[in-house]
Structure formats: C-alpha cells, structure tokens
Amino acid sequence: GAEPLKQIVLGTAGHIDHGKTSLIKALTGIETDRLKEEKARGITIELGFASMDLPSGQHLGIVDVPGHEKFVKNMVAGATGIDMVAMVIAADEGVMPQTREHMEICTLLGIRHGMVVLTKKDMVDEDWLEMVTEDVRNFIQGTFLEEAPIIPVSSMTGEGLPELVKTMDDIAALIPERTSSGLFRLPVDRVFTMKGFGTVITGTVASGTIRVGDTIMIYPSMVTSKVRGLQVHNTSTESASSGMRTAINFQGLEKTAIERGEVVSVPDGMRNSHLVDARMHYLSSNKKPLKNRTRVRFHTGTCEIMGNLILLENETLEPGSTAVVQIRLESPVACVKDDRYVIRSYSPVRTIAGGEILNPFPSKHKRFKDEIVEGLKGITEQDLESTITFHCSQAGFAGLTFNDLKLMTNTGDKKLNAALSNLLTHKRLLQTDKETRNFIHKDVFDTLTASAMAMLKTYHETNPLREGMSKGELKSKFPQSLGTKLFNLLVNHLVSAGTVTQEGDSVRLAHHKVALKVDQADMREKILSAYVDTGITPPYFKSLVTETLGYDVDQAKDVLMLLVKEKKLVKIKEDLYFHADALENLQKKLVEFLKANKTIDAPQFKDLAGGIARKYLIPILEYFDMKNITIRVGDTRQLRNG
C-alpha cells in the first residue's frame, strides 16, 4: 500500500477508571493492559501502546496515558510524542479532579488538538447525558479543547465508535507535519532483557530516523552501542522515524548501562547540561505565588530530575502567569530547544508548571539582567537569525558550533546553513574554525581585537627598545580557553586591517617606530656617563643628546625612559634629569644638616650643594618637598617627619 502521510499519535487521558483501556480495546482490538498485576489492579502502569488505520488510510498510534497521579511521569513520557488527545470522561461520573490535572498537563505539553470522549454511555439515561455534556462544555471553556467535539460512546455496545473514528480521522488531517532538526532522538521509557536478544529498550521516536546497524549514543551516560534490531508496533523493521512507537535491541549492551529517562541519539549529537533556560507557565490552579529557588521535580521526555527554579525576571510568580526561568538540575539532562517539560512540586507531589525549553545548555545567569530576559523572551517571538546572534553573543569567544546551534534552534541543516551564511555575509558572525564550524559574534571579536591592541600598546610603552612582542607572549595574555585558531584569526585580521605589523614571530602596532639600528647599548653608556660626570649640575637632556652627543631625540628618549625605569636616572622636571647616586648623596647631606640645624634656607642649601646655580637649586628643593623629605615653612625647609 501507499506510505502513510505522517505519523500521528493519539493519547488517551482522563481519570483512572473512566474506561480508557476498554475504549482502546474496542477501537483496535488491542489490550493495552500488559502486565498481570496491572490486570489485577485494573490500572495501566507503564504506557500501553496500540495502533489502528483510520478510514483515510492514515496510521494512528495510540498511547494509553496512565490516569493515576503517581504516573504523571509516564504521562509526560508518552506525551512528548502525542499529537492529539482524547480526554476520556465517564458519563456516569463526569469531570473529576484528575481530569483537571490531565487537562493542565496536556496544555503544558503543548498539545493543541483533540476531542472529549464520554464513555460508559450505556450506564446513563438521556437527561443525565445532557447534563454531563453541559458540565463538560463548561470544563473545556478557555482550554485548547474549547472548540472540540464531545462524543458519547459505549465500549460495551459499540455505540458512538464510528462517529469517534470519523472525528479522529478529521482531526488527524488538520495536524501539521512535525518540524524538527532531523536529529534522531528517542527518550527511553522501558529497559528489559529478552532471552536470545539481550537488552531491549522501548520509547517513542521524538525526531529523526534510526536504522538497523546505526551506532547510537545514550545520554547523559555517553555510552555507545549498535542497533541490532528494530520493531515498530510489534513488527520487525529496518528503520523507525519520528512519532513511531519503537523497540530497539542493542548489540552487547548491558541492561545496567541504560535506564528509563535517558535519551538515545547519535554519537555527539546531544549535549548534557545541568542548566536549562525555559519559558514557564505557572498554573492558575496553584494556591500560592512561586518563590525563587523553589526545589522541584523537572520532567522532560521520560526523565524526572530534581532541581531548583530560578526566576530570572520576577521576585515571585503569581498563579496563572508565564515567565522566563532557569532550571538548575541535580543531574544532567540532554534536550533540545522547544522540548516540552512539566514541573511538579517536591512535596506533596503535584503538577504546578510547565512549558518549553528555550536554551538546552545555557551558562549560569544572574537574575534580573535585561539582556538575558529580553534575549530569552525574544527566542519565542523572533526569527532564527536573532536567536543565533543572541546565543553567540552570550557564548563569548568560545563561540558555538554548528551542532550546538542545531540543538539551540531545533532547525534542520538546510535552514540553519542559510541563516548562518547570511549572518557571515553581513559580518554579524565570524567563523573561527572550519572543521567544527565554530562561530563567534562580531561584537565579541571586536572586543578581542581591542584588547590585543591595548596589550601591544602597553608592551611598546614598557619596552620601547624592542621591535615587537612575540606571538606566544601575546597569546599568553589572553585566557587559556582562547583557542589557537581564533588567536590566529585575530592576528591575521589585525595584520590585514593594517593596524598591526607582523615580522617573523613577532607583532607590533603598525605605527610603533622601532629605533633605527643604532647601537643602543653604546648610546645608553654615553648618556649615562654624561650624567655620572655632571653629578648635580647635569645638562638639559635635549641639548645633551643633540648638541653634545649628536643622537636622534626620539631614539635617545627611548633610552632615557629605560634608564629612568631602571632607576639609574631621576626626572626632576621637564627635560631635567639627575643621576640617582648624585641626588641620593645630596639628600643624605641635606638630612644630616637638618637633623643638626632643624631648618635650612636657599643660600644655606646652595653652600651645602657646593654653590650650584639657581636653575638647579629650586627644582631640587621642590623635588625633595614632593618626595616628602622636606616641608617648606616660610622661606625655610625642615624635615617632614622631624
């Protein structure tokens, strides 16, 4: 026959003994209560699965979602793949508290299509049925089932079943194809060992396709294995795709190596994270506002993980409101943008919130940061390109790989490639690594270039006599996590922009004038000995180098700066420098004189210094004042601390 158009899964939700299992049996002839003890208790514990073909030829998988409160976990597990829901309500009992909770969960999980099935029609009369129907109408007001058909049926007599099947067919036709990144994922809901087969897991394919012989990886444990056999709806098959209820048999995998709640995907396809950013709706049925850091149970796919809820934009959250949050988990999870999740309170356990994942592996956020809150809110409203640029700007110079972005945008390769090449063309992003296809934000790159320039500037100021800085030294000034590829890109960018010159292994700012190849050691000797010889009556620097020594002033200045840095010379005022030893001797004489005589005036100091000219006298005295050796009192000086 022709290939079915799409995989559609119907979930049955509703109160524990409102007849879901008998309804599925009546529709499909399949008994979803599998286990003996379930039979005895009349409860569907694990997810029961069945399937049928609708009149249009559309294939329909049916998940019997357990009704018991304890099994909300299973509900979330099955619901990840549910396209439409049949809310089952027994005609003789009507809407029950559990019916409400199931309705809330379906809403939180983003299910948008469905119908209400009133079972046990044979148990009630027309008037009663009318009254219950009226109640149900009120109950579904303001929910996603508001416009949905209400169909009374009897699984015992078969009454209403044809109408139900037709309705399911009509709704199935409206359901759009699943969009996804095409990455294969299957959350594990059962693990068991079968004689002759080894380890078998079951679950519903959330996205992508798996084939016999494929190598898979299990997250978060990162164990790999090979697919030995596949079954879909109890029939062996070569491949299974999105929406299909699947059993996978693994080659040589210990049963202990995998557990419920883990996810099967491709090697390195997913990323583990202890943090997720999400949009969260806090149910209006909650009695109290939600506090920051509340300890909760986080359910996505088939896992339940304890964590803390961080409210990023609110002090507390009122019932019925929606906000962006970060969930900090006690053990890692591997998920993808748009994955649905449900939050249950720690104790007593009840469903309190849920929504969809915005970023599957964010960094730890500080609260109340506008750029984060706005950026995350934007993800739900914005186009793909803005989402990519937001994530890249958050990622700093580590950047993000194509694979990261695939998980962060939940987009197929083709669409993602188109968006990225557009961003590269408009220079909003740069690719820093061709192999891993790593991208960083232009602003991040600009910050890096600015700091490289600043580092070189400082280097030249401190080492005026050196040509430039070795690339190794420049790289060592950046954090270690800055990769070699990005560093080389940075240098090449600066070189091609003409702001930096590269010679061999060293780099310098293009305008940095390297002294001509004079013998700088020789120049240093000559300048220094001129200052040693002249002692406390040195020449002015400019006249010394140009007239006496005949050097280029700029080159000589570099040497002078070096001598000052080495503390061989001391600057007294513009263009006037003294040899440090000569100045120190004079200081010693001055201190001794003051200890003996308490004060000194300018003529006395002139004698003390061997009759030096006024042009030296005043600057030296002022220098000693500035150094806090002396303090001026009227026309005399005395010791500062004496």
Side-chain angles (χ1 to χ4, degrees):
E3 274 295 293
L5 307 174
K6 51 196 174 198
Q7 272 296 319
I8 289 189
V9 178
L10 166 84
T12 55
H15 194 278
I16 187 162
D17 25 318
H18 281 197
K20 292 180 302 180
T21 307
S22 4
L23 174 67
I24 294 175
K25 189 171 186 199
L27 284 171
T28 64
I30 297 172
E31 181 77 77
T32 57
D33 270 356
R34 271 192 325 269
L35 311 167
K36 279 201 207 74
E37 68 265 30
E38 288 185 13
K39 267 279 192 280
R41 305 216 314 262
I43 293 177
T44 323
I45 301 188
E46 290 286 3
L47 295 164
F49 277 85
S51 65
M52 64 185 288
D53 287 316
L54 294 169
S56 63
Q58 170 67 55
H59 186 75
L60 186 71
I62 301 178
V63 189
D64 181 11
V65 179
H68 198 19
E69 205 285 328
K70 258 214 186 73
F71 309 117
V72 172
K73 291 195 187 92
N74 289 9
M75 165 103 195
V76 182
T80 11
I82 290 175
D83 300 291
M84 61 173 170
V85 75
M87 186 58 70
V88 176
I89 301 175
D92 58 346
E93 291 195 60
V95 176
M96 303 287 276
Q98 231 168 52
T99 323
R100 293 180 194 282
E101 188 178 27
H102 276 210
M103 178 68 98
E104 289 180 333
I105 291 173
C106 291
T107 309
L108 295 175
L109 290 168
I111 299 170
R112 296 284 168 263
H113 305 274
M115 66 225 109
V116 177
V117 185
L118 283 178
T119 52
K120 310 192 181 181
K121 176 178 189 253
D122 51 289
M123 310 275 283
V124 300
D125 60 22
E126 279 304 314
D127 290 352
W128 181 271
L129 190 64
E130 219 165 281
M131 186 189 77
V132 171
T133 307
E134 197 45 45
D135 269 358
V136 170
R137 273 269 162 251
N138 290 332
F139 167 62
I140 60 183
Q141 273 271 287
T143 72
F144 70 97
L145 288 178
E146 192 162 27
E147 306 290 316
I150 298 175
I151 304 155
V153 302
S154 162
S155 307
M156 304 294 283
T157 67
E159 207 181 341
L161 292 179
E163 290 81 348
L164 177 56
V165 171
K166 184 184 182 318
T167 306
M168 294 189 330
D169 214 359
D170 294 346
I171 294 175
L174 301 173
I175 292 171
E177 274 281 23
R178 282 172 185 271
T179 53
S180 87
S181 61
L183 173 75
F184 167 71
R185 289 198 294 153
L186 179 143
V188 178
D189 61 45
R190 287 183 70 215
V191 187
F192 49 91
T193 315
M194 272 173 80
K195 239 183 163 33
F197 281 101
T199 304
V200 177
I201 63 120
T202 61
T204 303
V205 180
S207 62
T209 300
I210 183 134
R211 294 173 184 80
V212 173
D214 283 357
T215 298
I216 57 91
M217 186 176 264
I218 292 151
Y219 298 84
S221 66
M222 314 289 276
V223 173
T224 52
S225 182
K226 236 189 163 81
V227 176
R228 188 163 127 187
L230 285 175
Q231 280 201 349
V232 172
H233 300 303
N234 305 327
T235 332
S236 285
T237 173
E238 280 303 301
S239 73
S241 304
S242 183
M244 292 184 181
R245 176 69 197 159
T246 309
I248 307 179
N249 167 221
F250 293 112
Q251 205 167 305
L253 186 68
E254 290 300 312
K255 178 174 187 285
T256 48
I258 182 166
E259 51 189 61
R260 180 197 162 90
E262 294 196 288
V263 179
V264 181
S265 183
V266 296
D268 303 321
M270 302 285 293
R271 267 185 68 172
N272 294 334
S273 173
H274 280 85
L275 301 170
V276 292
D277 288 346
R279 199 171 80 131
M280 187 184 84
H281 178 68
Y282 185 53
L283 291 169
S284 45
S285 59
N286 288 308
K287 301 283 179 284
K288 301 203 287 275
L290 181 71
K291 288 196 184 80
N292 183 47
R293 297 203 67 87
T294 301
R295 189 153 188 249
V296 295
R297 301 163 187 273
F298 171 79
H299 295 266
T300 186
T302 49
C303 71
E304 174 185 35
I305 302 175
M306 296 299 162
N308 290 67
L309 262 181
I310 310 297
L311 304 178
L312 295 177
E313 49 171 330
N314 320 72
E315 271 307 343
T316 55
L317 199 55
E318 291 301 322
S321 47
T322 301
V324 292
V325 300
Q326 181 163 71
I327 304 159
R328 298 187 184 155
L329 301 164
E330 290 174 15
S331 56
V333 70
C335 49
V336 174
K337 174 184 179 272
D338 299 330
D339 278 359
R340 291 279 166 173
Y341 68 91
V342 165
I343 297 277
R344 297 162 80 217
S345 49
Y346 177 63
S347 168
V349 182
R350 53 178 289 274
T351 304
I352 57 168
E356 72 269 20
I357 302 285
L358 295 174
N359 183 353
F361 40 89
S363 43
K364 201 169 190 173
H365 300 313
K366 287 200 165 66
R367 300 170 65 207
F368 309 117
K369 283 190 78 174
D370 290 347
E371 60 177 295
I372 306 275
V373 172
E374 293 316 308
L376 288 172
K377 285 185 164 166
I379 293 178
T380 43
E381 296 135 30
Q382 278 169 351
D383 55 354
L384 183 56
E385 290 188 12
S386 321
T387 301
I388 294 171
T389 50
F390 167 67
H391 286 316
C392 286
S393 70
Q394 287 295 310
F397 58 73
L400 292 167
T401 64
F402 182 78
N403 199 34
D404 292 337
L405 287 165
K406 202 165 146 170
L407 300 170
M408 290 169 119
T409 60
N410 189 21
T411 311
D413 290 19
K414 206 170 156 187
K415 216 170 139 188
L416 187 53
N417 274 320
L420 285 167
S421 63
N422 195 31
L423 288 167
L424 290 170
T425 308
H426 290 104
K427 303 237 181 322
R428 308 260 306 283
L429 297 183
L430 285 97
Q431 181 166 306
T432 61
D433 189 330
K434 285 212 162 52
E435 266 113 77
T436 61
R437 297 191 62 199
N438 200 61
F439 302 93
I440 68 167
H441 197 286
K442 178 68 163 68
D443 296 351
V444 173
F445 191 70
D446 290 347
T447 311
L448 286 174
T449 52
S451 39
M453 300 284 286
M455 287 168 191
L456 285 171
K457 185 170 179 287
T458 311
Y459 183 83
H460 294 323
E461 283 164 2
T462 9
N463 307 285
L465 306 183
R466 294 205 186 138
E467 288 253 339
M469 187 180 194
S470 79
K471 285 204 305 194
E473 189 178 343
L474 179 60
K475 184 171 186 317
S476 74
K477 293 197 180 302
F478 283 99
Q480 265 191 317
S481 45
L482 185 90
T484 311
K485 288 187 175 171
L486 178 53
F487 177 73
N488 292 337
L489 183 76
L490 190 65
V491 173
N492 297 340
H493 169 81
L494 290 167
V495 169
S496 61
T499 43
V500 165
T501 309
Q502 180 171 340
E503 278 164 16
D505 191 40
S506 84
V507 281
R508 60 180 167 87
L509 292 178
H511 60 70
H512 171 62
K513 289 245 189 328
V514 178
L516 296 171
K517 294 281 183 274
V518 255
D519 186 339
Q520 279 169 336
D522 182 53
M523 187 190 279
R524 182 176 173 282
E525 282 311 304
K526 288 204 164 109
I527 292 176
L528 192 55
S529 69
Y531 279 103
V532 171
D533 295 346
T534 51
I536 51 170
T537 54
Y540 283 113
F541 178 70
K542 267 210 179 83
S543 68
L544 166 73
V545 292
T546 50
E547 293 157 29
T548 319
L549 300 173
Y551 288 133
D552 169 81
V553 175
D554 282 345
Q555 289 175 18
K557 200 149 194 135
D558 281 347
V559 175
L560 172 75
M561 285 305 146
L562 194 67
L563 287 164
V564 169
K565 200 179 163 215
E566 291 172 355
K567 298 202 174 15
K568 294 269 194 295
L569 297 184
V570 178
K571 180 178 181 175
I572 294 289
K573 61 176 238 192
E574 201 47 52
D575 215 32
L576 190 56
Y577 294 81
F578 283 68
H579 190 269
D581 295 350
L583 204 55
E584 198 168 320
N585 288 334
L586 183 56
Q587 182 180 320
K588 275 199 188 109
K589 277 187 195 165
L590 173 63
V591 173
E592 270 163 28
F593 182 93
L594 283 170
K595 278 183 178 159
N597 305 295
K598 293 279 180 280
T599 64
I600 192 169
D601 60 14
Q604 286 171 309
F605 184 64
K606 186 174 175 160
D607 291 345
L608 185 79
I612 54 170
R614 191 175 168 80
K615 68 170 181 180
Y616 298 124
L617 189 69
I618 304 302
I620 293 176
L621 276 170
E622 284 170 357
Y623 170 77
F624 286 142
D625 288 345
M626 187 199 75
K627 287 249 332 238
N628 291 329
I629 309 291
T630 53
I631 185 167
R632 186 172 176 168
V633 184
D635 282 339
T636 68
R637 300 283 197 295
Q638 52 195 48
L639 280 179
R640 181 79 176 192
N641 52 7

